[in-house]
Structure formats: C-alpha cells, structure tokens
Amino acid sequence: MFATSVIAADAGGAASRLGTMVLGLAVFAAVFVGILLLASLFKGRRGEKIQAAAFVGPTIFFIAIALIYPAILTIRRAFYSGKFFDLNFGTPRTRGKFVGFDNFTALWTTPGLPEVFRNTALWVILVPLFATGVGLLYAILIDRARGEAVAKALIFLPMAISMVGATLIWKFVYFYNGDPGSQQVGLLNAIITKLGMEPIDFIGNAPGNTFSLIAIMIWIQAGFAMTVLSAAIKAIPDEIIEAAKLDGVKGMQMFRFVTLPSIRPSVIVVLTTIAIGTLKAFDIVQASSGGKFGDSILANEFYNRSFVTQQPGLGAAIAIVIFLLVSPIIVFNVIQLRKDA
C-alpha cells in the first residue's frame, strides 16, 4: 500500500512538472508570435525601432530581474551584518544592522582571509599562463601532424568532464595514506614510495596543496586553450608562412615573428577567458577539501561565509570583490578585440 502511494505521488509530481513545462513553452510561443505580429504592423524607420524594442525589451526585462536586481541586493547586503535577510529587506528585524564598510575591512583582518587572497592571486596568475602555454605548445607540436585529430581529442577530453568529476579523479591520483608503513594506493604516492621517498599529502599540506589544485584547473583548461589556438594557427595565411620561409625564417624565429603576432588576439581571448573562469572557480576547492587546509579561494570563501558560517554580509563583500576583479579583465578583453577588429 505504501509503495503504491509513493508511485502514485511520483507519477502525480511528474505529470505536474510536465504540465508546467508545456505551459511555459506555450507562453513562450505566444509571446514570440505576439512580437512577430506587432513587428509586422509597423514600417519604415519608426517601425524598425519599434520592432527592435519589441525583441530586445523582454530580454532587458529578464536581465534586470535575474542580474541587476540581485546585484543591487548583494551590494546593499554588504553594508549590513546579521544572519537573517529577506529579499526586500522589509523589516528592521530581518534587515540586520548597518555596519558601513566593516565587512570590507574584515576582508583583510579576519583570520584566514588574507591567505584566501594570496591563493586567489596564485590561481589567477598561474592557471591562465600555464594552461595557455601548454595549449599553445601542444597546438604547435601537433599542427598538421599524423593523428592530429586523436591527439586533440585526448587533451580536450578533460573539458568534457565536470570540475567536480575531474577533482574526484585527481583525488585518487593525490590520495595519501597517513598510516606509517601502509601501502600507498594514490598514483603519485605509489610512484614516490617505489622510488624510495616518503609519501606526500598533496591535499592536506599548505601551501603546496594550492599548487596541487591549480594543476587540476590547468589540466582542464589546457584543452580549451589548445582548441582555440590551434584554430588560430590554421587561419594564418599560407602566403605569410611561405614568404617567411623564403626569407630564411624558421624554428623559434618563425614562432616569435610570424606565428605569435598572427595569433595574438586569440591568445588574449584565451588568457582573459581562463582568468575569468579561474576567479569564479569553486568546484575544485569545494570537492577536494572544502578549503579547510589553507587552500580556499575567493569563490569558495564566498560560499562558506554566506551559507556555512552564516555571515551573509561578509559573503556579499567577497562577491563584490570578485566582480571588481573580473570587470577590468572583461574591459581589457573588449578593448583588445575592438583594436584587432
């Protein structure tokens, strides 16, 4: 009887979800058809403006609801302390206490947070540089080589794995057995002990564990860098390469004076894209240790302060710092793309 009721409840829930999905699709279709009918009623320049507003307006509206409004709440929350907040800051009890810039000051005075900024700086510097470097080197070495497609697929494969999945894979590689004399089943420690050296706690020992986690991010992002840069290298006109060869340019000179200047816009895009992704990296740290061993970074600390230690004001301040760090990278990327356009 109980099993029958559970199955019936699951079936009812599935039917309800299906009905909601169908209703959503119907509303979307109705809105889209309505926009097309409205656009067809107007002609000329005025009609073009109305048509553009009809198409762009809903998008701007939903962006305002999904991005701008939460951003305003986050900024406001950063100036309050307390554990309980409602969405509208409606009552004095739920609004918390106004503390001004105290949450931002706490970013530099709270124990453990200065190390978080140090770790984040290491991530933002090392991951883009090494991931782009490895991807570029790989793209050059396999360019027009036999088995190029298979070689590209192998290095791109980590991009198809979620960051949590990749972290779990590397936890087996880094696994450390702390019992003296016990067999090391982690791949790296098994190799180290076979060579007669002592095993290493790759995840538990700071600050070396930060570099261990950085290696995971590089392993994931190198495939992305290789794919973009390989496409850029293949887009270099053959005439330029042939002219350089006729002038006696080859080897490192070919890379320095022909290849690298030709793919410079792509290199900038790859560097900035990986840097932005690194600033938002959360999964790797959370899935490996949760940032408990001195290896936390800003994105992970935002989660911990907002939901674990119940300090939403401090968490909001960290979110604003992440946004401020990402913004200059985006602006630089846009400026460079406009220059090369």
Side-chain angles (χ1 to χ4, degrees), residues 47 72 202 315:
I72 293 173
F202 289 98

Side-chain angles (χ1 to χ4, degrees), residues 194-249:
K194 288 293 183 182
L195 295 176
M197 296 182 289
E198 292 295 321
I200 301 172
D201 188 357
F202 289 98
I203 294 179
N205 286 337
N209 51 4
T210 296
F211 296 98
S212 299
L213 301 184
I214 286 174
I216 301 176
M217 190 68 168
I218 294 172
W219 181 67
I220 296 173
Q221 295 294 334
F224 164 74
M226 180 275 302
T227 303
V228 176
L229 297 177
S230 178
I233 291 173
K234 290 186 179 300
I236 300 175
D238 293 334
E239 294 80 4
I240 295 178
I241 297 176
E242 293 299 329
K245 289 181 178 179
L246 290 175
D247 290 337
V249 179

Side-chain angles (χ1 to χ4, degrees), residues 138 151-161 220 222-227:
Y138 198 85
K152 285 183 176 180
L154 289 175
I155 193 173
F156 187 78
L157 189 60
M159 285 291 296
I161 307 172
I220 296 173
F224 164 74
M226 180 275 302
T227 303

Side-chain angles (χ1 to χ4, degrees), residues 2-24:
F2 177 74
T4 303
S5 62
V6 170
I7 294 173
D10 289 341
S16 176
R17 289 191 294 270
L18 179 61
T20 302
M21 182 184 70
V22 172
L23 178 61

Side-chain angles (χ1 to χ4, degrees), residues 134-310:
V134 171
L136 179 58
L137 177 63
Y138 198 85
I140 293 173
L141 291 177
I142 66 172
D143 185 42
R144 295 181 175 88
R146 181 179 298 178
E148 179 181 355
V150 176
K152 285 183 176 180
L154 289 175
I155 193 173
F156 187 78
L157 189 60
M159 285 291 296
I161 307 172
S162 68
M163 287 194 180
V164 173
T167 305
L168 294 178
I169 292 172
W170 278 86
K171 284 185 73 173
F172 287 110
V173 175
Y174 289 146
F175 186 81
Y176 167 76
N177 192 341
D179 295 333
S182 299
Q183 183 179 5
Q184 296 294 331
V185 296
L187 177 61
L188 285 180
N189 278 319
I191 296 173
I192 289 173
T193 52
K194 288 293 183 182
L195 295 176
M197 296 182 289
E198 292 295 321
I200 301 172
D201 188 357
F202 289 98
I203 294 179
N205 286 337
N209 51 4
T210 296
F211 296 98
S212 299
L213 301 184
I214 286 174
I216 301 176
M217 190 68 168
I218 294 172
W219 181 67
I220 296 173
Q221 295 294 334
F224 164 74
M226 180 275 302
T227 303
V228 176
L229 297 177
S230 178
I233 291 173
K234 290 186 179 300
I236 300 175
D238 293 334
E239 294 80 4
I240 295 178
I241 297 176
E242 293 299 329
K245 289 181 178 179
L246 290 175
D247 290 337
V249 179
K250 55 185 177 180
M252 283 300 299
Q253 288 183 331
M254 178 70 75
F255 171 76
R256 179 181 176 184
F257 296 110
V258 178
T259 304
L260 191 57
S262 299
I263 64 172
R264 177 178 171 275
S266 298
V267 172
I268 292 175
V269 169
V270 170
L271 283 170
T272 52
T273 302
I274 295 177
I276 293 171
T278 301
L279 276 171
K280 300 184 295 180
F282 163 78
D283 316 63
I284 293 176
V285 176
Q286 186 64 28
S288 62
S289 64
K292 298 176 182 178
F293 303 119
D295 54 353
S296 185
I297 56 177
L298 281 176
N300 184 74
E301 201 63 26
F302 159 73
Y303 168 81
N304 287 335
R305 298 294 174 173
S306 297
F307 303 107
V308 178
T309 63
Q310 289 293 299

